Amino acid sequence: RMNYANIVTALAGLLPIPEADADFLAILPSTFAYADGRIYRELDMLAANVRDSSTSTVALNRNFNIPTAIGTFLIVDGINVVTPASTAADSGVRTPLIPVSRDFLDLAWSSSTGATVPQYFAYISQNTTLSPAQTQIIFGPWPDDTYRVEVIGKIQPAVLSSTNTTTYLTDNLPDLYIAACMVFMTGWQHNFGSQADDPRSAMSWEKQYMDLRESAGTWEARKRWSGASWTSKPVEPTAVPQRG
């Protein structure tokens, strides 16, 4: 388990570079953004899973924007509409929506006629930075009332910084996190190192990162019960047929 100060000290020692070096301190935010972004994209991490039920439908309006109260959703795994209307997620009944194409919704429910509890949804956009804002999701049928919407999916948690001094990655995968940072840092430093078999790699840190990522990926799969027969146990290479 490490924190911001530990990570900064470790990186300065590995480069090596003075910890108070102005250029080193200036590149740290980009380094942490690279490490966080890469690890969360490459590992299907349970730590990134969230449920956000902070927003609701608007009656007779099929448009819906994904909430950002907890964080920006990178992947939406599912959407529930809660009934009866104006009921909190844990106090009502969840109706899981089925993902379909926009063409189907435009054809089946081209207007608010027949408005009721939505059963389907389609992605329109996932860009939260456009101005003017764009509709992100549309529902079908159109909602006839104000229903709480629960969005389930993955966000990228806040990046490590001097004010956000610990994260899931620094607490649980500090070795992988440092390796990811060093891939970026050694490239920034233009130091490809004597250990590198491939001069295009930033020293041997890319290989080190990949080795650590493989073991971390195995653990994440076991957390999701993604082993043989939906078990948290790893597959035994000598077990034929599979165990479980």
Side-chain angles (χ1 to χ4, degrees):
R1 176 172 292 191
M2 301 181 74
N3 58 29
Y4 176 84
N6 302 146
I7 295 289
V8 171
T9 299
L11 293 176
L14 288 167
L15 283 169
I17 196 170
E19 194 170 330
D21 181 87
D23 291 332
F24 169 70
L25 295 175
I27 202 65
L28 282 177
S30 297
T31 302
F32 297 146
Y34 170 87
D36 278 64
R38 182 173 183 182
I39 293 171
Y40 279 113
R41 283 194 303 271
E42 294 180 0
L43 292 177
D44 188 9
M45 303 187 71
L46 283 178
N49 289 359
V50 299
R51 295 186 299 170
D52 189 329
S53 58
S54 61
T55 52
S56 302
T57 63
V58 176
L60 303 182
N61 186 338
R62 69 172 182 167
N63 300 321
F64 178 77
N65 287 329
I66 301 170
T68 57
I70 300 175
T72 299
F73 279 90
L74 304 179
I75 297 173
V76 172
D77 288 329
I79 296 179
N80 295 323
V81 167
V82 181
T83 56
S86 303
T87 304
D90 290 334
S91 300
V93 177
R94 289 175 170 87
T95 300
L97 302 189
I98 300 171
V100 296
S101 70
R102 175 193 55 79
D103 306 82
F104 170 71
L105 294 186
D106 285 348
L107 177 65
W109 291 283
S110 58
S111 71
S112 60
T113 301
T116 184
V117 180
Q119 302 172 36
Y120 304 93
F121 77 93
Y123 258 124
I124 299 299
S125 169
Q126 203 177 14
N127 192 332
T128 60
T129 63
L130 290 176
S131 181
Q134 299 293 301
T135 298
Q136 295 171 333
I137 282 174
I138 57 174
F139 292 133
W142 295 35
D144 64 334
D145 209 329
T146 302
Y147 299 102
R148 189 66 63 92
V149 178
E150 181 180 60
V151 181
I152 305 104
K154 290 186 181 295
I155 64 168
Q156 181 174 317
V159 174
L160 184 72
S161 68
S162 58
T163 55
N164 184 41
T165 57
T166 59
T167 69
Y168 178 87
L169 297 178
T170 62
D171 278 350
N172 296 278
L173 296 170
D175 52 347
L176 179 66
Y177 194 76
I178 287 175
C181 289
M182 287 300 293
V183 172
F184 184 89
M185 279 291 208
T186 48
W188 162 73
Q189 202 178 42
H190 301 290
N191 176 12
F192 298 106
S194 60
Q195 298 182 57
D197 296 322
D198 183 351
R200 294 170 298 180
S201 274
M203 295 176 65
S204 58
W205 283 107
E206 177 66 19
K207 182 180 184 305
Q208 179 71 2
Y209 169 83
M210 296 298 289
D211 289 343
L212 293 169
R213 190 194 71 178
E214 183 177 356
S215 61
T218 300
W219 278 61
E220 287 299 322
R222 291 176 65 184
K223 291 178 187 177
R224 298 192 306 275
W225 286 62
S226 297
S229 301
W230 295 103
T231 173
S232 64
K233 307 298 183 185
V235 175
E236 292 291 349
T238 58
V240 179
Q242 71 178 31
R243 177 185 61 196

